[in-house]
Amino acid sequence: MHLREFLKTRKMTADQFGGWIGVSKHAVGKWARGESIPRSASMQKIFKATAGAVRSEDFYASRERAA
């Protein structure tokens, strides 16, 4: 599941999710829009916070589709 989908289904803002995993809302926004890919430590936090619904592969797949 893409991060944008996760946030939408949970009715969660980038600011809320960022606070939940300890990053800025700007970072979450860039990830959700596919503008950047989280670093390894953030990927692990995202995976854990989403109970595995958002995986590292989801970020790379969305970038490949955009190219």
Side-chain angles (χ1 to χ4, degrees), residues 12-34:
M12 183 178 280
T13 66
D15 193 32
Q16 291 169 324
F17 189 75
W20 198 19
I21 65 168
V23 299
S24 72
K25 67 179 179 181
H26 301 291
V28 175
K30 284 184 171 186
W31 301 335
R33 290 188 302 272

Side-chain angles (χ1 to χ4, degrees), residues 3-63:
L3 180 58
R4 178 179 279 182
E5 294 172 59
F6 178 84
L7 297 175
K8 186 176 181 179
T9 59
R10 299 293 193 283
K11 296 182 170 89
M12 183 178 280
T13 66
D15 193 32
Q16 291 169 324
F17 189 75
W20 198 19
I21 65 168
V23 299
S24 72
K25 67 179 179 181
H26 301 291
V28 175
K30 284 184 171 186
W31 301 335
R33 290 188 302 272
E35 294 174 6
S36 66
I37 295 175
R39 293 185 179 187
S40 179
S42 295
M43 287 267 199
Q44 291 172 0
K45 290 178 183 180
I46 293 167
F47 184 80
K48 195 174 207 179
T50 64
V54 179
R55 302 166 305 152
S56 59
E57 297 86 13
D58 299 323
F59 291 98
Y60 292 102
S62 64
R63 286 187 76 101

